[in-house]
Amino acid sequence: MWKTIKQWLGAAADVALPRVCPVCGQALDGDEQWLCRSCLAALPRTRYEEVDFNTMEQHFAGKVPIERATAYFFYEKGAPYSNILHDIKYRSTPLMGRWLTARAVKDMSSSHFFDGIEVVTAVPLHRSKLAHRGYNQSEYLARGIADALDINYIEALKAVRPHSTQTHKGAMERWQNIQGNYALNEKVASLLAGKHILLVDDVITTGSTLTVCAALLKSIPGTTVSLFTLAAARLE
């Protein structure tokens, strides 16, 4: 009975305020979640996880030792699929990100990318940005993976000072901009010793933030670090 009422209310809400696909703008039907079937099927997957020493892994070679790295789909500024990131980050739809990363775990199962991961963590957000935005989108992404793998999400890192936007900065400016911005969460660091940690962020462009955060995690004795981002700018 309750399920029937819930479905009816959902249908009524869709009529009053139709849910639309952020990629194509078409109204979603009752069985579609967040993205329409066509846009989900056409998601520009990187499939990095299927390639040994892939482009993303090469990007970190010589910077920080990582086990493996991948991103779910390609990001291009202004392209229709960039709306997914924009909605997750700025339009209060982080649950779409959590849903997408859970799908990513399923889609990547044959690659064994997630095998052996013991803990999931996220690139942190400074409290000033957290207060303004209301949530850390990367935490939602990480929790989607943790739920799908049935393992713990741990807040392993903290943002100790705010930094200006990275959007219009070059690689060197981004690197300089984030130095000293992050630190280990000492309260949980001992729990991570010897663990294989998956570090999650929303998008990789230059990789400067991930490099700093991965290096902090690697400073914990015996840790192994892998990287996952929901999207990636083309790194070739």
Side-chain angles (χ1 to χ4, degrees):
M1 177 68 174
W2 168 243
K3 186 176 180 181
T4 302
I5 294 173
K6 189 175 180 181
Q7 289 173 335
W8 182 85
L9 290 172
D14 286 348
V15 171
L17 187 65
R19 298 176 304 124
V20 297
C21 175
V23 178
C24 67
Q26 296 298 307
L28 300 177
D29 68 30
D31 295 327
E32 293 175 328
Q33 296 186 60
W34 301 109
L35 274 68
C36 72
R37 293 183 188 86
S38 296
C39 291
L40 187 59
L43 190 74
R45 292 274 308 278
T46 71
R47 301 192 185 277
Y48 284 154
E49 68 280 357
E50 300 173 4
V51 180
D52 290 334
F53 196 45
N54 63 53
T55 301
M56 189 166 164
E57 292 167 352
Q58 292 173 35
H59 194 72
F60 292 95
K63 298 175 184 176
V64 61
I66 60 169
E67 185 72 9
R68 47 189 182 260
T70 195
Y72 192 31
F73 65 90
F74 283 116
Y75 160 83
E76 185 178 347
K77 186 177 180 180
Y81 282 93
S82 68
N83 291 332
I84 295 173
L85 289 176
H86 198 270
D87 282 6
I88 291 170
K89 193 168 184 176
Y90 300 116
R91 292 178 181 158
S92 301
T93 56
L95 288 174
M96 175 166 60
R98 192 166 184 164
W99 173 77
L100 273 171
T101 52
R103 283 196 62 93
V105 171
K106 182 179 179 181
D107 288 346
M108 296 180 187
S109 60
S110 62
S111 73
H112 303 289
F113 176 84
F114 295 102
D115 289 4
I117 299 294
E118 297 171 278
V119 174
V120 186
T121 195
V123 170
L125 201 62
H126 188 264
R127 61 181 180 275
S128 59
K129 278 195 173 182
L130 193 59
H132 177 72
R133 190 174 300 163
Y135 60 91
N136 176 5
Q137 72 280 356
S138 296
E139 178 181 339
Y140 273 78
L141 301 176
R143 287 187 181 277
I145 293 172
D147 289 347
L149 296 175
D150 195 24
I151 59 176
N152 288 332
Y153 169 84
I154 293 180
E155 209 167 284
L157 301 165
K158 56 185 178 181
V160 294
R161 71 179 189 188
H163 60 78
S164 57
T165 180
Q166 300 275 70
T167 305
H168 303 294
K169 291 180 169 62
M172 182 57 68
E173 289 177 304
R174 286 174 182 246
W175 177 257
Q176 293 171 341
N177 189 43
I178 64 169
Q179 292 304 297
N181 286 355
Y182 302 100
L184 285 175
N185 181 355
E186 298 295 345
K187 294 179 181 179
V188 300
S190 62
L191 301 176
L192 300 173
K195 301 292 187 183
H196 188 168
I197 306 167
L198 182 68
L199 175 62
V200 178
D201 203 3
D202 53 356
V203 61
I204 175 174
T205 49
T206 65
S208 55
T209 298
L210 285 168
T211 299
V212 169
C213 290
L216 287 168
L217 295 174
K218 284 294 296 179
S219 71
I220 301 170
T223 55
T224 303
V225 178
S226 290
L227 308 176
F228 175 93
T229 60
L230 182 63
R234 294 188 182 269
L235 301 169
E236 290 85 357

